[in-house]
Amino acid sequence: MEANPRSTGRLPAAFLTPGSSSFIDFLADHSPELLPSGRKLPEGIVEAPHGTTIVAATFAGGVVLAGDRRATMGNMIAQRDIEKVFPADEYSAVGIAGTAGLAVEMVKLFQLELEHFEKVEGVTLSLEGKANRLSTMIRGNLGMAMQGLAVVPLFAGWDEGKEKGRIFSYDVTGGRSEEQGYAATGSGSIFARGSMKKLYRAGLTEEQATTLVVQALYDAADDDSATGGPDMARRIFPIVTVITEEGFRRLSEAESSALARSVTERRLEQPDGPRAALL
């Protein structure tokens, strides 16, 4: 009779079998049911809370990734203070739009994927490599996307080789595109992108870039009911993150609060927002 690995204190054979440096491939080989794509869903469209608008913009020295805080389910507000922007590793971040619970799970798996690669290979993936790994994960979720459980993230990070911030967007099939200057995804993305189009210019400072993304989220919330604007009464403000050669940094609550209040106060004088680059 074969001994139980737990009783002997030894790892199961799966952990000792040579394989690739991908943790997702490891799960697919040994425990596919743990992957989102390995689960069986009931027939028909499944309704679940959805995260909405994510925006990003590059500046001289890095990239900013930000998101509003609202999650919706149909025409209802499911959550007012959801977190949609997460560090992927020290030099990159993911903003999630789409099915909230599934998206958060995908981000956690992506974080583990990057950490596993680094431990196995002894080096970190390039930013291009990280973007490709995320593309593969999204493609693996296509079956669920066809049932209404789509996840469409925005990925941004600092490219150590090219010494600049870069942004990657995706579609539900895993198709990847590099965006130049700025990008948005989610239900309010069309309005956020229009806002950034009139405000963005090359060579923005970090302060100007963080102001720009909050302006864009404000415009998205103004026209898209699924996007939440700054909530002064509840003290709920957008999550704003900055990635530079020094790594990932999330603005503190005091910083994001001051930024949101500044934008809101300016909107009292200009309800439609500034019409030229932020100077």
Side-chain angles (χ1 to χ4, degrees):
M1 182 176 180
E2 186 177 353
N4 187 333
R6 291 184 179 180
S7 64
T8 62
R10 291 181 297 181
L11 289 171
F15 291 86
L16 304 175
T17 303
S20 76
S21 56
S22 170
F23 184 74
I24 296 174
D25 289 348
F26 172 79
L27 281 184
D29 289 339
H30 301 289
S31 298
E33 72 282 358
L34 296 180
L35 289 170
S37 58
R39 297 170 188 161
K40 293 183 179 180
L41 294 177
E43 296 294 329
I45 300 298
V46 180
E47 189 168 358
H50 276 64
T52 49
T53 310
I54 301 296
V55 296
T58 58
F59 65 92
V63 60
V64 175
L65 184 65
D68 78 306
R69 305 294 298 277
R70 179 175 291 177
T72 60
M73 190 159 59
N75 66 331
M76 304 291 290
I77 297 176
Q79 189 174 341
R80 299 181 188 275
D81 61 350
I82 189 173
E83 298 203 2
K84 306 176 189 176
V85 181
F86 306 88
D89 64 3
E90 187 179 359
Y91 293 100
S92 61
V94 184
I96 57 172
T99 307
L102 192 61
V104 171
E105 184 178 15
M106 184 178 291
V107 169
K108 291 180 178 178
L109 188 58
F110 183 50
Q111 292 169 333
L112 195 55
E113 172 82 347
L114 299 185
E115 186 177 349
H116 182 78
F117 179 91
E118 184 175 355
K119 286 184 176 180
V120 171
E121 299 293 338
V123 295
T124 58
L125 267 172
S126 66
L127 194 66
E128 287 270 0
K130 297 171 191 176
N132 289 337
R133 290 291 175 103
L134 184 56
S135 179
T136 301
M137 292 178 66
I138 297 168
R139 190 175 301 114
N141 188 58
L142 186 58
M144 286 192 170
M146 294 298 100
Q147 290 187 269
L149 300 178
V151 176
V152 187
L154 206 57
F155 177 65
W158 174 259
D159 190 316
E160 294 181 278
K162 297 188 176 182
E163 297 186 338
K164 67 176 184 177
R166 300 172 68 187
I167 305 167
F168 298 90
S169 63
Y170 300 85
D171 59 35
V172 293
T173 67
R176 191 206 79 177
S177 300
E178 182 171 0
E179 304 289 346
Q180 300 301 319
Y182 57 88
T185 190
S187 63
S189 61
I190 186 171
F191 308 110
R193 192 178 293 111
S195 176
M196 290 189 287
K197 183 177 181 179
K198 67 180 181 180
L199 297 176
Y200 182 82
R201 71 175 190 276
L204 292 175
T205 65
E206 179 181 321
E207 181 180 1
Q208 289 171 330
T210 54
T211 302
L212 182 146
V213 295
V214 174
Q215 291 275 16
L217 289 172
Y218 192 106
D219 282 326
D222 200 30
D223 289 299
D224 174 43
S225 62
T227 304
D231 191 332
M232 302 302 179
R234 297 181 177 87
R235 296 187 58 79
I236 300 173
F237 306 105
I239 294 175
V240 182
T241 64
V242 178
I243 310 159
T244 67
E245 62 179 348
E246 296 179 356
F248 172 92
R249 179 175 71 89
R250 172 173 166 170
L251 267 60
S252 67
E253 184 176 349
E255 289 175 308
S256 60
S257 169
L259 195 55
R261 290 181 186 278
S262 173
V263 169
T264 302
E265 287 171 3
R266 291 178 64 182
R267 290 301 179 107
L268 295 176
E269 299 176 3
Q270 292 180 294
D272 293 331
R275 292 177 172 80
L278 302 170
L279 293 173

